[in-house]
Amino acid sequence: MSPGINLNELARRFKVSRATVARILNRNIIYTRPTYRRRADKIRRAALRMGYRPNAAAKAVSTGRFGHVGLLMGTHYERSNFSRELLRGIHDGLSPHRIHYSVWFLDDSELSDQTSLPRFLSEQLMDGLLINYTHELPHHFRAAVKRVAMPAVWLNVKEQGDCVYPDDLQAGRKAVQYLCDLGHRQLAFADFVHGPENPFRAHYSVFDRRQGVEEGMAEMEVKHRFLTVRRALPGPEAIQAAAAFLREPPIPTAVICHAARDAAICHAAAVQLGISVPRDLSLLTFGPDRLNESIFDLTHFIEPNQAMGRMAAERLIACINGEADPEFSRPVPYQLKTGNSTTTPP
Amino acid sequence: MSPGINLNELARRFKVSRATVARILNRNIIYTRPTYRRRADKIRRAALRMGYRPNAAAKAVSTGRFGHVGLLMGTHYERSNFSRELLRGIHDGLSPHRIHYSVWFLDDSELSDQTSLPRFLSEQLMDGLLINYTHELPHHFRAAVKRVAMPAVWLNVKEQGDCVYPDDLQAGRKAVQYLCDLGHRQLAFADFVHGPENPFRAHYSVFDRRQGVEEGMAEMEVKHRFLTVRRALPGPEAIQAAAAFLREPPIPTAVICHAARDAAICHAAAVQLGISVPRDLSLLTFGPDRLNESIFDLTHFIEPNQAMGRMAAERLIACINGEADPEFSRPVPYQLKTGNSTTTPP
DNA sequence: CTGAAAGCGCTTACAG
DNA sequence: CTGAAAGCGCTTACAG
């Protein structure tokens, strides 16, 4: 890599001190006297022309700020939610402050190793941490984060101190509300994955989404049924379960599905039974911004990944600037996207 | 953030020079004389106990290496392919070399602005660039990358200098091969999105995947038909087109679909026609590692995103170390994942 | 508004 | 194997 020109060199060429050059280049000083202004302009143009690129590391050394935060993720899929929107949101939250972020994948063996820490903890490398790790982060690792006293914001978890997470409780309620506003009075909720005896500790969203739906149903005093399974069902079995459920009266006019796959299952069952979606049956679900690969356009509440990323980033910057708040906990609202799977009841 | 202890302090406490401490901590010197060894151990333990974290920025200033590269992406979906696997692969390629990476989203307005450059170009911030930007990167931006003479590797494009991309040509061929090995002799290829008159410049993979299939079919001397559309079809229309295609003899025993959505469309059409998948009709496609939300398990060639990320990272490190090679161009093979959508012909 | 100077925390020939 | 010293490229009170 070409070393390029530096402050010293620039100062030498214009026979001024490097302090002056730095001031001209860094702060947008408005020079009142024309002589100064002309000189400043000349130096700015020269810096541009000669391709001066200030060394960010040197700046970090003198200021003690890295202008850099880290995003932590687990290697395993279950450990961290992750999407392009999330990264985008983080980027949007950080870039106005001229802060960039790096991505770190931690695999389980690295995490369980008590003797050595990942580099972002064992070195001074960044100003803060966005932790996107929802399941089973080992305790000693959490302690290590505390020990280095780096500002940290948690994503997608509810229990931690400084955290930002999608508001599944509200989304569940709003789902019921939306269907009721369309005129539905006989609802159902379907989840073909999570049962009451589910062995692994589920993400808070599994409970909250369902509970929001329950609360909404109670509030709206609407008739309803729940399709809950004992264990996660593979596709064909799930379709059969859905078909059985949809055949049994009182037949719902709308089903709120826990996720896109559940909606696809209900849809397949409906096709089997000759039930037309959305004419005879509305389907509504929750999921990421782009429910890929689906042929038909599912009405769903969009996970606010981008907003969550942005808010977490902004919150982290506040922490870095000393506005820590152990009580901070921010739910982020879902957005409804209406598709072709919902309409008024028959 | 707690400033913590530094080299100087550590040196002072042990009454040695900081050069000595640095040597003990950085290089794993094997001390022959026990006195030295004991002292080294003591210093290492003390560093650990006192929570010494070397300042990476200071190191970067002295060595001239940042240990940091950037990943460029477009804000728009069409501009960059992106997946967790890709990031994971990049991480895997970089981390053995103790290099981390930051993610940069460039939106179109930022890119078209000729007067100001994004920070990673206007500052000395990193050692190299991974460019994941497949469509319409403005020329002046490309020139700016050249001008700063930062090592750069391109992802997911074929035409550039130093590039790493999925081998769609080979994947297309292998798809035909696989079906022929199962005994199929009447194949088809379906793509409901990309037509010959497609207005936007398609990604190379659109052409290569199809061409690979064509070459494979020619090579295997197998009967075949192509379903090509004039323009991208919405779901319901596509299903009708697929049904019409599947009704018309000679009826294929297997369809190679350009992507998961195309396979879903063919599947829906088959259901409509009472054709059983895979008994009467095998479906095979291409796509990311986890074809989410699909109820049934599609046989598909997996985009080698993780391998591509790793290879690009390794290649970039080679470039940084001065092993540039303008002719470097690496296709990465797809991996077949067999599912429930393919079997022997009826 | 400016420059000389000290400082940030490291690395690395160099002489001993 | 070690220490004194110079150096990396910045920033920032401070005195003028």
Side-chain angles (χ1 to χ4, degrees):
Chain A
M1 182 143 43
S2 72
I5 192 177
N6 63 16
L7 260 196
N8 252 321
E9 187 70 13
L10 219 42
R12 212 171 50 73
R13 304 232 181 164
F14 285 89
K15 302 198 195 319
V16 291
S17 74
R18 58 175 181 265
T20 302
V21 179
R23 278 188 285 251
I24 288 173
L25 261 32
N26 291 345
R27 324 200 213 283
N28 265 30
I29 305 173
I30 311 296
Y31 290 92
T32 45
R33 276 200 260 176
T35 346
Y36 287 151
R37 215 185 46 223
R38 266 199 298 277
R39 190 186 63 180
D41 286 349
K42 206 153 70 180
I43 291 181
R44 285 204 190 90
R45 275 199 306 272
L48 216 60
R49 176 167 35 82
M50 305 172 74
Y52 169 63
R53 302 194 302 144
N55 185 313
K59 175 169 194 163
V61 173
S62 355
T63 60
R65 284 282 186 98
F66 295 92
H68 170 201
V69 302
L71 171 64
L72 255 61
M73 313 232 321
T75 297
H76 282 13
Y77 282 92
E78 317 83 52
R79 301 268 189 262
S80 326
N81 288 300
F82 174 74
S83 65
R84 177 177 182 142
E85 285 73 31
L86 180 69
L87 293 201
R88 175 70 199 292
I90 293 172
H91 182 271
D92 290 349
L94 295 175
S95 60
H97 302 266
R98 318 212 80 201
I99 292 178
H100 62 274
Y101 69 101
S102 52
V103 181
W104 301 78
F105 285 87
L106 297 174
D107 72 31
D108 287 0
S109 69
E110 238 174 315
L111 277 173
S112 56
D113 180 5
Q114 302 228 15
T115 62
S116 88
L117 288 173
R119 213 182 129 208
F120 62 88
L121 285 182
S122 70
E123 296 185 8
Q124 283 184 272
L125 189 57
M126 47 207 201
D127 303 314
L129 229 38
L130 293 167
I131 306 182
N132 178 13
Y133 203 98
T134 52
H135 286 72
E136 306 182 35
L137 189 61
H139 189 270
H140 73 91
F141 186 83
R142 214 177 279 251
V145 172
K146 272 251 166 61
R147 197 168 340 112
V148 301
M150 215 173 348
V153 171
W154 299 77
L155 289 158
N156 230 314
V157 285
K158 271 179 87 172
E159 300 118 66
Q160 317 302 333
D162 238 309
C163 62
V164 181
Y165 55 90
D167 194 345
D168 283 273
L169 207 53
Q170 188 200 43
R173 275 202 220 95
K174 287 206 281 194
V176 174
Q177 183 85 52
Y178 175 71
L179 292 170
C180 287
D181 287 354
L182 281 175
H184 292 273
R185 285 295 172 271
Q186 179 64 51
L187 304 186
F189 178 85
D191 181 342
F192 300 94
V193 174
H194 309 92
E197 303 174 25
N198 205 306
F200 65 84
R201 284 179 257 162
H203 190 246
Y204 81 87
S205 63
V206 173
F207 302 112
D208 279 18
R209 202 172 285 179
R210 183 187 175 115
Q211 197 188 325
V213 168
E214 286 180 10
E215 290 178 9
M217 285 167 165
E219 202 175 303
M220 303 300 292
E221 299 184 355
V222 80
K223 290 199 184 120
H224 58 265
R225 294 165 60 204
F226 278 79
L227 191 165
T228 317
V229 296
R230 194 151 296 188
R231 55 177 179 82
L233 296 184
E237 274 183 60
I239 295 175
Q240 290 327 305
F245 183 78
L246 289 176
R247 225 173 338 210
E248 188 183 316
I251 295 172
T253 59
V255 181
I256 299 174
C257 304
H258 177 263
R261 181 178 177 269
D262 304 301
I265 287 163
C266 288
H267 185 245
V271 168
Q272 247 184 39
L273 298 174
I275 297 175
S276 158
V277 175
R279 207 192 54 207
D280 304 329
L281 181 71
S282 287
L283 294 176
L284 183 155
T285 189
F286 309 82
D289 192 358
R290 320 197 116 202
L291 285 180
N292 288 329
E293 328 303 354
S294 71
I295 320 175
F296 96 128
D297 200 11
L298 225 42
T299 296
H300 64 288
F301 283 88
I302 301 176
E303 288 172 8
N305 286 315
Q306 189 165 341
M308 176 169 66
R310 189 172 41 69
M311 288 180 185
E314 286 166 356
R315 177 69 201 135
L316 181 58
I317 288 173
C319 290
I320 291 171
N321 292 331
E323 307 161 27
D325 173 3
E327 300 299 311
F328 188 95
S329 169
R330 161 102 85 201
V332 188
Y334 276 71
Q335 299 294 334
L336 176 63
K337 182 177 175 193
T338 54
N340 302 327
S341 67
T342 44
T343 187
T344 52
Chain B
M1 180 143 43
S2 72
I5 192 176
N6 63 17
L7 259 196
N8 251 320
E9 187 69 14
L10 219 42
R12 212 171 49 73
R13 304 234 180 163
F14 284 90
K15 304 201 195 316
V16 291
S17 74
R18 57 173 183 267
T20 302
V21 179
R23 277 189 286 251
I24 287 173
L25 261 31
N26 290 344
R27 324 200 212 284
N28 266 31
I29 305 172
I30 310 296
Y31 291 91
T32 44
R33 276 200 261 177
T35 346
Y36 287 151
R37 216 184 46 223
R38 265 198 299 277
R39 191 186 61 178
D41 286 350
K42 207 153 71 179
I43 292 181
R44 286 205 190 88
R45 275 199 306 272
L48 216 59
R49 176 165 35 82
M50 307 173 73
Y52 170 63
R53 302 193 303 146
N55 185 313
K59 177 168 193 163
V61 173
S62 356
T63 60
R65 286 282 186 99
F66 295 91
H68 171 203
V69 302
L71 171 64
L72 255 62
M73 314 232 321
T75 297
H76 281 15
Y77 281 92
E78 318 81 54
R79 301 269 189 260
S80 327
N81 288 300
F82 174 74
S83 65
R84 179 178 181 139
E85 286 73 32
L86 180 70
L87 292 201
R88 175 70 200 291
I90 293 172
H91 183 270
D92 291 350
L94 295 175
S95 60
H97 302 266
R98 316 213 79 200
I99 292 177
H100 62 274
Y101 69 102
S102 52
V103 181
W104 301 78
F105 285 88
L106 297 174
D107 72 32
D108 287 0
S109 68
E110 237 173 319
L111 277 173
S112 56
D113 180 5
Q114 300 228 17
T115 62
S116 88
L117 288 173
R119 214 181 129 208
F120 62 88
L121 285 181
S122 70
E123 295 184 9
Q124 283 184 272
L125 190 57
M126 46 207 202
D127 303 315
L129 229 37
L130 293 167
I131 304 181
N132 178 14
Y133 203 98
T134 52
H135 285 73
E136 306 181 34
L137 189 61
H139 189 269
H140 74 91
F141 186 83
R142 214 178 278 251
V145 172
K146 271 252 165 61
R147 197 170 339 113
V148 302
M150 217 176 341
V153 171
W154 298 78
L155 289 158
N156 230 313
V157 284
K158 272 180 88 171
E159 299 119 66
Q160 318 302 333
D162 239 309
C163 63
V164 181
Y165 55 91
D167 194 345
D168 283 90
L169 208 55
Q170 188 200 42
R173 274 202 221 96
K174 287 206 282 194
V176 174
Q177 183 84 53
Y178 175 71
L179 292 170
C180 287
D181 287 353
L182 281 175
H184 292 273
R185 285 296 170 272
Q186 179 63 50
L187 303 186
F189 178 84
D191 181 341
F192 300 94
V193 174
H194 308 93
E197 304 172 26
N198 205 306
F200 66 84
R201 285 179 255 161
H203 190 246
Y204 80 88
S205 63
V206 172
F207 303 111
D208 280 19
R209 203 173 284 178
R210 184 189 174 113
Q211 196 186 327
V213 168
E214 285 179 13
E215 289 177 11
M217 285 168 166
E219 202 175 303
M220 302 302 291
E221 298 185 357
V222 79
K223 290 199 185 120
H224 59 265
R225 293 164 62 206
F226 278 79
L227 191 165
T228 316
V229 295
R230 195 152 294 189
R231 57 178 179 83
L233 297 183
E237 275 183 60
I239 295 174
Q240 291 326 307
F245 183 79
L246 288 176
R247 225 174 338 211
E248 187 183 317
I251 295 172
T253 60
V255 182
I256 299 174
C257 304
H258 177 262
R261 180 176 178 272
D262 304 302
I265 287 163
C266 288
H267 185 244
V271 169
Q272 248 185 38
L273 297 174
I275 298 174
S276 157
V277 175
R279 205 192 56 206
D280 305 328
L281 181 71
S282 286
L283 294 177
L284 182 154
T285 190
F286 309 82
D289 192 356
R290 320 195 116 203
L291 285 181
N292 288 328
E293 328 304 352
S294 69
I295 320 175
F296 95 128
D297 200 10
L298 226 42
T299 296
H300 64 288
F301 283 87
I302 300 176
E303 288 172 9
N305 285 315
Q306 190 165 341
M308 177 170 66
R310 189 172 40 68
M311 287 180 186
E314 287 166 354
R315 178 68 202 136
L316 180 58
I317 289 173
C319 290
I320 291 171
N321 292 331
E323 306 162 28
D325 174 3
E327 300 299 311
F328 188 95
S329 169
R330 162 102 84 199
V332 188
Y334 276 71
Q335 299 293 333
L336 177 64
K337 182 177 176 193
T338 54
N340 302 327
S341 68
T342 44
T343 186
T344 52

